[in-house]
């Protein structure tokens, strides 16, 4: 069965980059959100297995989304894909429960390694 | 010549700039030994003649500094990157970094920070569009002794267009605002538009 996946980024290009980086073998049902508020609306309304989450976004940023996921006890994997690559930020998102931290622009090989590591493909 | 970006081109450029800003912030954070809160920089393409008026209000009432660095890449990509600072911010950063508080050190610090911001940012941008840049040494064009608007008019008049990148940094205990202006000739914009179209098509 296809895994419901949410790609959350304010940039259309970035959302397309993530989508295109996913391997063909990955059976996913893809939804998109343009900011954190939209992402939470989707996450609270339906089951999502995996979220690709940008950090620097208008309305509600990625940190805000991670905090809400934690607070609401939403059951989903989160992979952060961020231009903010400071080690401190990486530590923060890991503490907030993100599975992995990938630097932008997304590297498809790296993404495949992570998906395999967590048994998602 | 169209100097306006389409919505797709703008989105694409914004994302490339976000990634480049991320690299610059990381470098700056290491240099300042602190965490830098990164905001999405607002970008705008304007005629360079409009630039001084836009900044007059913002920078003329306070002591400001202006640091310039030229860049040159392949395929007609060249220009001058200008970083504008308000000096009351600069004092705090200088103290944070342990520079002496005399004005010579202040200029040294501004040159250091501008160089980090400009070269890391532009290298990050160039890397994403398969270009590579070389740079001239940074020059302080204006400091507390001179009028920032005049210096800006004098510099901007050599170029047709300016890509404004509003950068707002918040350090843990300090906020630090500066503006980066990329002054570029018209043909560089055409080149950038072609590259953006190619990237948009690729995805």
């Amino acid at each position: 069965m296809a895994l419901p996946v949410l790609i959350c980024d304010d940039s259309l290009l970035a959302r397309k980059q993530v989508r295109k980086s996913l391997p063909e073998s990955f059976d996913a049902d893809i939804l998109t959100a343009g900011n954190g508020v939209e992402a939470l609306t989707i996450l609270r309304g339906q089951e999502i297995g995996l979220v690709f989450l940008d950090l620097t976004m208008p309305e509600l940023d990625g940190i805000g989304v991670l905090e809400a996921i934690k607070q609401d006890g939403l059951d989903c994997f989160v992979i952060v894909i961020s231009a903010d690559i400071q080690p401190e930020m990486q530590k923060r998102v890991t503490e907030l429960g993100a599975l992995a931290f990938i630097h932008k622009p997304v590297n498809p090989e790296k993404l495949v390694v992570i998906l395999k590591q967590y048994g998602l493909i | 010549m169209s100097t306006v970006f389409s919505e797709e081109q703008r989105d694409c450029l914004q994302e490339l700039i976000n990634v480049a800003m991320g690299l610059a912030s990381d470098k700056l954070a290491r240099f300042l030994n602190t965490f830098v809160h990164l905001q999405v920089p607002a970008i705008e393409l304007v005629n360079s003649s409009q630039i001084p008026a836009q900044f007059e209000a913002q920078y003329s009432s306070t002591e400001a500094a202006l640091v310039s660095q030229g860049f040159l890449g392949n395929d007609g990509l060249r220009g001058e990157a200008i970083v504008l600072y308000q000096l009351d911010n600069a004092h705090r950063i200088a103290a944070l970094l342990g520079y002496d508080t005399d004005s010579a050190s202040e200029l040294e610090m501004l040159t250091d920070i501008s160089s980090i911001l400009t070269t890391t940012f532009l290298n990050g941008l160039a890397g994403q569009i398969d270009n590579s840049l070389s740079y001239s040494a940074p020059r302080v064009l204006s400091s507390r002794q001179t009028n920032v608007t005049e210096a800006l008019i004098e510099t901007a008049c050599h170029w047709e267009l300016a890509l404004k990148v509003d950068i707002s940094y918040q350090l843990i205990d300090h906020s630090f605002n500066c503006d980066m202006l990329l002054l570029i000739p018209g043909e560089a914009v055409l080149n950038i538009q072609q590259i953006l179209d190619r990237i948009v098509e690729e995805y």
Side-chain angles (χ1 to χ4, degrees), chain B residues 60-198:
Chain B
S60 62
S61 58
T62 130
E63 291 187 303
L66 192 157
V67 186
S68 161
Q69 193 165 15
F71 58 91
L72 178 67
N74 307 320
D75 304 324
L77 190 62
R78 65 190 173 91
E80 191 168 343
I82 304 236
V83 185
L84 292 118
Y85 303 91
Q86 289 181 359
L87 281 178
D88 43 352
N89 273 330
H91 288 307
R92 284 188 299 230
I93 309 287
L96 192 73
L97 286 174
Y99 282 83
D100 288 335
T101 46
D102 61 76
S103 62
S105 302
E106 189 177 84
L107 293 185
E108 189 191 327
M109 178 205 71
L110 289 176
T111 315
D112 288 349
I113 291 183
S114 299
S115 184
I116 291 171
L117 278 177
T118 308
T119 55
T120 314
F121 173 81
L122 287 174
N123 282 341
L125 195 58
Q128 293 177 85
I129 57 175
D130 298 326
N131 210 311
S132 65
L133 300 172
S134 47
Y135 301 93
S136 63
R139 293 175 298 149
V140 177
L141 291 184
S142 149
S143 61
R144 58 182 74 253
Q145 287 84 16
T146 46
N147 182 314
V148 72
T149 317
E150 276 170 27
L152 199 53
I153 289 171
E154 206 170 291
T155 311
C157 73
H158 300 296
W159 305 93
E160 287 163 74
L161 295 160
L163 184 63
K164 271 179 68 195
V165 185
D166 294 342
I167 302 166
S168 180
Y169 280 127
Q170 281 168 324
L171 312 182
I172 287 174
D173 314 310
H174 310 262
S175 78
F176 171 79
N177 296 301
C178 62
D179 281 287
M180 188 189 286
L181 284 174
L182 303 178
L183 296 167
I184 45 181
E187 67 264 24
V189 172
L190 284 180
N191 173 253
I192 291 169
Q193 285 178 320
Q194 281 169 6
I195 293 166
L196 295 175
D197 286 341
R198 209 168 62 211

Side-chain angles (χ1 to χ4, degrees), chain A residues 45-118:
Chain A
Q46 60 188 285
E47 292 274 318
I48 296 287
L50 174 65
V51 185
F52 292 104
L53 183 66
D54 180 29
L55 291 181
T56 316
M57 290 184 292
E59 306 287 333
L60 180 69
D61 65 13
I63 293 292
V65 174
L66 282 167
E67 283 168 350
I69 288 174
K70 202 173 177 183
Q71 202 173 2
D72 292 13
L74 297 168
D75 185 24
C76 59
F77 288 136
V78 181
I79 294 176
V80 169
I81 301 182
S82 171
D84 191 341
I85 57 170
Q86 298 173 74
E88 180 67 29
M89 189 52 105
Q90 186 157 353
K91 200 173 141 228
R92 245 178 109 186
V93 302
T94 314
E95 280 167 3
L96 282 169
L99 214 57
F101 187 90
I102 302 178
H103 295 181
K104 277 186 173 182
V106 59
N107 175 324
E109 286 92 51
K110 220 174 243 175
L111 189 58
V112 167
V113 170
I114 290 167
L115 291 175
K116 276 191 180 146
Q117 191 183 345
Y118 290 96

